[in-house]
Amino acid sequence: MKNSIPGPDRSWQVDKGFAVAARKDEPMKYIILLGDGMPDEAIASLGGKTPLQFAKTPAMDFMAQRGLMGLASTIPPGYPPGSDVANLSVFGYDPRTCYTGRSPLEAASMGVSLGPDDVAFRLNLVNLRTEDGTVFMGDYSSGHITTEEGRELVAALAVELGDSEFEFHPGVSYRHLLVWRNGKEKLELTPPHDISGKSIEQHLPKGDGSDALLRLMKQSQSILTNHPLYRQRQEAGKTPANSIWLWGHGKAPRMETYRDKFGLTGAVISAVDLVRGIGVYAGLEIIKVPGATGYLDTNYQGKADAALEALERHDFVYLHVEAPDESSHSGNVENKIQAIEDFDARIVAPICEGIKKFGEYRILCTPDHPTPIRLMTHTSDPVPFILYRGEDAVKPAIAGYDEVSAAKTGFFLEDGFRLMELLTGE
């Protein structure tokens, strides 16, 4: 049973809780398997279990019962619990030394260069709804609009609103980019997924330069609602985009490459520009898998195959799956359970089998942050992780992989950016 109480595990701890050094007789391969936003709270409809406890996850349970499981804090105190901060930590970077905002990382993934005074913004295509004179955030993703449709809309915005000051760059699905050349950065902006179903009035841009952003947002509404795609999606019963929403701003960061920091070559596999952008700054190969959508319909097999192929030529791979997080932001318990089970069956299981051919290997399986269904947004709580090195010995006290079992091991990593040190074991 997953709910049995495991005993504390200290078998891999040495000074400061890091793992013992790997043997040097064979080339070591390292892989991080990240299920975005998997941790959650107990949910009454699931019998008081979390989605991780409820979901069928035999591959992750297998590793948890044979490896090192514990909790790690990926969000430093005082930092927002975003995927940007959390993924920087899992990659092995201390956000306190390099974090400047989400969008500069996304810009790097998209090949958009930022000057020292340029400010990047995430541009969401959203659906706002009006009820009794109040405007609400109806859908932060415009019904998970397709990439083709999203790019068409951003191209139209670029024609109408783009100039030497403001640049519009298309991305994936609802996630796009605005660059403000010589722009303002002392702004207060709110992620749209944090206010799903809520009034936007108190969450509109504030601060120096907010008037310019509000003007762009207002102008975008006329362009989007008069675009042919607006009516096409309405007639098809889909949620249309009727506004842009700007957030996640920042200037370009400075980061060490993986070769300089860890002595490793590597690759990143993700449908999300944020994660790819960290990889760009880290000097890692960015692998774009056809059919990788960042949602339930993503190309799981393509991602797993690409990861194993990348390990043929690299030391390290970071494989990121967005679907659990997207399901949480939508408040859909069934979709989240499906996303977790798909991650286990279609990513973790084939990687655990395929990586054996390399001999010496280590797998770190972890989320970046919790995304509770009840809140429909991220929290700063520690995340359960597994470090697996191919052991066969079972720890009978460990039930499987979930938040409660991880907490009961007693292993806690206060600085989540040290997960990478734990993985490499140096």
Side-chain angles (χ1 to χ4, degrees), residues 153-426:
L153 293 178
V154 172
L157 292 170
V159 170
E160 296 293 331
L161 302 179
D163 54 28
S164 60
E165 187 176 14
F166 292 105
E167 295 178 5
F168 292 77
H169 298 274
V172 175
S173 183
Y174 62 89
R175 315 175 193 95
H176 305 276
L177 180 74
L178 174 76
V179 174
W180 189 352
R181 299 295 180 186
N182 299 307
K184 308 290 187 180
E185 63 172 336
K186 293 183 179 179
L187 291 153
E188 296 179 29
L189 306 176
T190 301
H193 51 260
D194 283 1
I195 55 172
S196 293
K198 299 178 182 178
S199 168
I200 68 170
E201 183 178 355
Q202 299 302 317
H203 304 286
L204 293 168
K206 301 179 182 67
D208 186 21
S210 60
D211 289 349
L213 300 187
L214 287 166
R215 183 176 65 253
L216 288 176
M217 292 169 67
K218 185 70 174 177
Q219 291 173 329
S220 76
Q221 294 167 12
S222 174
I223 296 167
L224 293 173
T225 55
N226 285 291
H227 193 281
L229 279 175
Y230 184 83
R231 176 164 298 203
Q232 291 173 24
R233 286 185 66 83
Q234 278 189 320
E235 292 174 349
K238 299 176 180 178
T239 303
N242 61 10
S243 182
I244 64 172
W245 190 270
L246 303 169
W247 62 288
H249 67 297
K251 294 183 176 181
R254 294 184 178 181
M255 293 167 52
E256 291 180 90
T257 67
Y258 250 52
R259 187 179 293 276
D260 291 338
K261 189 173 179 63
F262 299 111
L264 300 174
T265 68
V268 174
I269 299 170
S270 175
V272 176
D273 279 317
L274 161 65
V275 178
R276 293 174 179 172
I278 297 174
V280 170
Y281 278 105
L284 304 174
E285 179 187 358
I286 309 302
I287 299 175
K288 296 184 178 181
V289 175
T293 64
Y295 197 50
L296 292 169
D297 59 352
T298 198
N299 183 0
Y300 290 97
Q301 181 177 341
K303 284 188 167 186
D305 290 346
L308 293 170
E309 192 275 332
L311 285 174
E312 297 281 358
R313 61 184 183 277
H314 289 302
D315 308 306
F316 166 82
V317 169
Y318 194 101
L319 197 168
H320 170 270
V321 173
E322 176 77 359
D325 189 60
E326 291 290 335
S327 301
S328 291
H329 286 312
S330 300
N332 192 312
V333 177
E334 292 77 14
N335 281 357
K336 183 162 189 176
I337 292 169
Q338 178 188 335
I340 291 171
E341 292 183 347
D342 285 345
F343 177 71
D344 186 79
R346 304 169 71 181
I347 294 292
V348 180
I351 292 294
C352 284
E353 183 61 30
I355 202 170
K356 293 176 183 177
K357 66 182 177 181
F358 297 107
E360 291 289 320
Y361 63 87
R362 292 183 183 177
I363 301 171
L364 175 65
C365 184
T366 186
D368 48 355
H369 52 67
T371 311
I373 289 284
R374 177 180 64 87
L375 300 175
M376 297 171 65
T377 191
H378 309 159
T379 69
S380 300
D381 295 328
V383 298
F385 71 87
I386 311 164
L387 176 60
Y388 178 66
R389 305 187 300 180
E391 288 85 354
D392 291 325
V394 177
K395 301 179 178 70
I398 295 180
Y401 177 64
D402 59 68
E403 305 90 339
V404 176
S405 296
K408 289 178 178 177
T409 67
F411 191 104
F412 177 64
L413 201 60
E414 184 175 4
D415 292 324
F417 68 88
R418 296 194 183 277
L419 280 168
M420 192 60 193
E421 296 176 35
L422 192 68
L423 177 65
T424 57
E426 301 296 348

Side-chain angles (χ1 to χ4, degrees), residues 116-144:
D117 296 318
D118 298 335
V119 182
F121 297 79
R122 159 68 83 83
L123 185 158
N124 271 42
L125 293 172
V126 304
N127 177 268
L128 303 178
R129 63 178 176 84
T130 302
E131 185 177 325
D132 297 329
T134 301
V135 181
F136 296 87
M137 180 59 65
D139 191 325
Y140 69 91
S141 70
S142 294
H144 287 280

Side-chain angles (χ1 to χ4, degrees), residues 27-147:
M28 181 68 73
K29 299 295 183 179
Y30 306 99
I31 189 165
I32 292 177
L33 305 178
L34 193 141
D36 201 302
M38 288 195 298
D40 211 303
E41 302 170 343
I43 297 174
S45 65
L46 301 182
K49 295 181 179 181
T50 70
L52 269 176
Q53 289 176 307
F54 187 87
K56 295 178 177 65
T57 56
M60 289 188 285
D61 292 346
F62 180 93
M63 291 196 296
Q65 292 164 348
R66 291 161 177 80
L68 170 66
M69 183 167 62
L71 293 174
S73 180
T74 58
I75 308 294
Y79 280 72
S83 292
D84 42 14
V85 174
N87 276 277
L88 279 170
S89 289
V90 179
F91 266 97
Y93 294 95
D94 185 350
R96 293 167 293 194
T97 66
C98 63
Y99 175 69
T100 63
R102 178 191 192 104
S103 294
L105 302 170
E106 296 178 327
S109 169
M110 298 164 68
V112 178
S113 298
L114 298 178
D117 296 318
D118 298 335
V119 182
F121 297 79
R122 159 68 83 83
L123 185 158
N124 271 42
L125 293 172
V126 304
N127 177 268
L128 303 178
R129 63 178 176 84
T130 302
E131 185 177 325
D132 297 329
T134 301
V135 181
F136 296 87
M137 180 59 65
D139 191 325
Y140 69 91
S141 70
S142 294
H144 287 280
I145 192 169
T146 68
T147 296

